[in-house]
């Protein structure tokens, strides 16, 4: 029996998300014309129009009928609470239990790295960020609101299962991709309870992969070491908030947030793929947005749909464009958003 074509829910979202996703869709149609793409009108406009963020029927259709969500960016000055972004992005991560947030830090063009003397072989790291617990669970509360005695609490909620599955995902990925070093990062010198659980589970899982070197760094030291000697790292596994921060640092090491891609994954289930950058309302609609992070995100999505060779082709084509300065102005080129796509499609052949 022939397997049906993968079905992708396309959510351009807000600001430059709309522009970069349109370009990403051109690349998807070129490389994988069999994909079934369905667009969903979700984001700030929709929220302002009818109060809808992520409706239940859409949530269930995605879960039951789709293989991936291809998301642009969410965030709009007209929605200062950012409630739609929280409910669509964090809502999908939590409700679909997308426990792996996989974010490569991969330098393609040495000239784009802000570190002196570092090239592509020095900056090639895969970060596994835990995506469903930690400081993101919204467990906590406030007391005596709007009084001088106001109290606020945000709990760091961590489960043994949650820690184990993200650590295992990091080792499995390392094993499958010929990597020999996994570094776990936490803050167990200050956060004792959560830290001890991470430490214990890391030791237990690491013992199952004796051929892979397992190391540990406190997250403050990791931040320092990523700048001093990124070549030390192949795979990093860490909690939700630390992963958020470290991958923004990593985005700059690879040439900027315009090149950073990510996948929110639960193996065997629907995944959500998004460029790491935001909606950048200040440059929206001007053709200035860099679509490369979206191309690389499309690549990750295709790899997760079982077509890793297409991801390799996208990465290599982006590399060629970078080396030829065929980029948007923030990376030194003179092309508009859609001209970058034209160049990429030509490169892909
Ligand atoms: C990211 C973003 C989100 C996060 C925000 C928008 C809640 O920074 O995807 O890295 O913190 O996870
Ligand atoms: Mg972030």
């Amino acid at each position: 029996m022939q397997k049906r074509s993968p079905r992708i829910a396309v959510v351009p979202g807000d600001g430059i998300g709309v522009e970069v996703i349109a370009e990403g869709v051109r690349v998807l149609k070129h490389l994988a014309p069999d994909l079934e793409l369905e667009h969903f009108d979700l984001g700030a406009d929709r929220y302002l129009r009818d109060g809808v963020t992520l409706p239940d029927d859409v949530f269930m259709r995605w879960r039951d009928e789709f293989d991936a969500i291809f998301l642009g960016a969410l965030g709009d000055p007209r929605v200062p609470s950012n409630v739609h972004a929280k409910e669509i992005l964090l809502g999908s991560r939590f409700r679909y239990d997308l426990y792996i947030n996989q974010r490569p830090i991969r330098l393609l063009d040495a000239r784009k790295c802000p570190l002196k003397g570092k090239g592509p072989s020095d900056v090639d790291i895969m970060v596994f960020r835990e995506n469903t617990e930690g400081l993101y669970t919204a467990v906590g509360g406030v007391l005596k609101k709007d009084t001088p005695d106001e109290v606020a609490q945000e709990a760091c909620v961590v489960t043994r299962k949650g820690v184990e599955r993200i650590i295992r995902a990091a080792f499995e990925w390392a094993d499958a991709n010929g990597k020999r070093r996994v570094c776990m990062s936490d803050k167990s010198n200050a956060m004792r309870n959560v830290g001890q659980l991470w430490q214990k589970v890391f030791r237990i899982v690491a013992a199952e992969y004796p051929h892979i070197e397992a190391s540990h760094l406190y997250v403050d030291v990791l931040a320092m070491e990523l700048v001093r000697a990124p070549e030390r790292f192949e795979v990093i596994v860490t909690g939700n908030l630390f992963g958020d921060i470290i991958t923004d640092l990593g985005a700059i090491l690879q040439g900027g947030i315009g090149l950073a891609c990510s996948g929110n994954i639960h193996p065997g289930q629907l995944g959500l793929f998004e460029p790491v950058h935001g909606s950048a309302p200040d440059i929206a609609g001007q053709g200035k947005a860099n679509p490369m992070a979206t191309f690389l995100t499309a690549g990750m999505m295709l790899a997760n749909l079982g077509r890793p060779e297409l991801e390799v082709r996208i990465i290599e084509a982006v590399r060629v464009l970078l080396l030829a300065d065929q980029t948007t102005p923030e990376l030194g080129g003179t092309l508009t958003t859609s001209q970058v796509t034209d160049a990429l499609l030509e490169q892909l052949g």
Side-chain angles (χ1 to χ4, degrees):
M1 201 177 82
Q2 204 180 341
K3 206 175 167 294
R4 67 166 175 80
S5 302
R7 238 175 244 153
I8 315 293
V10 179
V11 186
D14 305 331
I16 62 166
V18 177
E19 294 160 75
V20 294
I21 287 296
E23 305 305 325
V25 163
R26 288 175 64 196
V27 174
L28 287 174
K29 285 188 170 158
H30 179 83
L31 284 177
D34 63 311
L35 296 184
E36 284 180 29
L37 307 175
E38 183 174 336
H39 280 68
F40 288 82
D41 170 25
L42 298 173
D45 281 338
R46 176 76 187 274
Y47 176 70
L48 291 168
R49 203 164 62 234
D50 55 18
V52 161
T53 57
L54 177 56
D56 277 339
D57 60 319
V58 172
F59 175 83
M60 285 183 301
R61 274 199 67 209
W62 286 354
R63 185 194 59 198
D64 299 336
E65 299 169 23
F66 285 79
D67 301 287
I69 305 164
F70 189 42
L71 173 69
L74 296 163
D76 187 297
R78 294 168 302 164
V79 187
S81 69
N82 222 20
V83 57
H84 68 299
K86 274 182 221 136
E87 288 182 12
I88 297 171
L89 178 62
L90 298 183
S92 294
R93 288 180 187 168
F94 278 80
R95 294 170 70 195
Y96 295 121
D97 197 29
L98 306 176
Y99 64 92
I100 302 169
N101 194 330
Q102 197 175 327
R103 297 185 162 183
I105 304 175
R106 185 192 300 118
L107 177 63
L108 296 174
D109 172 2
R111 297 172 304 162
K112 303 292 183 295
C113 185
L115 305 180
K116 244 184 281 166
K118 302 291 181 193
S121 62
D122 299 305
V123 183
D124 187 6
I125 306 165
M126 188 61 83
V127 179
F128 284 79
R129 163 185 174 188
E130 203 294 320
N131 213 26
T132 54
E133 18 184 82
L135 279 157
Y136 276 67
T137 60
V139 170
V142 291
L143 282 176
K144 304 182 187 172
K145 196 165 170 55
D146 298 328
T147 75
D149 298 321
E150 186 159 350
V151 178
Q153 187 216 8
E154 206 75 53
C156 185
V157 179
V158 164
T159 67
R160 182 161 180 162
K161 281 184 190 150
V163 173
E164 177 165 346
R165 65 184 181 172
I166 188 69
I167 292 175
R168 191 173 296 285
F171 277 99
E172 281 296 312
W173 187 89
D175 214 13
N177 289 275
K179 305 295 179 187
R180 288 293 164 260
R181 295 197 294 274
V182 174
C183 177
M184 187 276 273
S185 188
D186 65 10
K187 190 63 191 165
S188 47
N189 51 351
M191 297 170 64
R192 301 297 296 260
N193 304 311
V194 162
Q196 279 169 11
L197 184 52
W198 269 87
Q199 295 277 344
K200 174 172 64 189
V201 174
F202 185 63
R203 269 195 309 276
I204 293 171
V205 176
E208 294 174 31
Y209 301 84
H211 52 293
I212 295 179
E213 180 194 310
S215 64
H216 168 260
L217 287 178
Y218 298 126
V219 69
D220 47 349
V221 181
L222 174 64
M224 194 166 69
E225 287 298 287
L226 275 172
V227 172
R228 191 188 68 82
E231 65 277 9
R232 281 186 64 181
F233 303 99
E234 289 185 340
V235 177
I236 293 171
V237 60
T238 189
N240 208 339
L241 182 64
F242 300 148
D244 177 46
I245 298 167
I246 285 302
T247 54
D248 266 22
L249 191 161
I252 296 303
L253 298 185
Q254 63 187 317
I257 200 85
L259 291 169
C261 64
S262 78
N264 300 262
I265 298 162
H266 184 135
Q269 266 181 220
L270 166 97
L272 185 158
F273 298 84
E274 42 153 2
V276 175
H277 64 70
S279 60
D282 52 321
I283 60 160
Q286 300 170 30
K288 288 183 186 165
N290 183 352
M292 287 175 167
T294 302
F295 302 156
L296 297 166
T297 298
M300 260 188 119
M301 181 169 77
L302 290 166
N304 270 272
L305 294 171
R307 303 180 190 185
E309 69 288 354
L310 297 181
E311 180 180 34
V312 173
R313 284 179 64 194
I314 291 178
I315 294 171
E316 289 317 311
V318 169
R319 187 196 307 274
V320 170
L321 261 53
L322 286 169
L323 292 171
D325 292 323
Q326 291 189 299
T327 66
T328 41
E330 99 286 359
L331 288 180
T334 56
L335 302 187
T336 64
T337 307
S338 60
Q339 286 171 339
V340 175
T341 316
D342 298 341
L344 186 95
L345 294 179
E346 195 174 316
Q347 187 57 41
L348 287 169

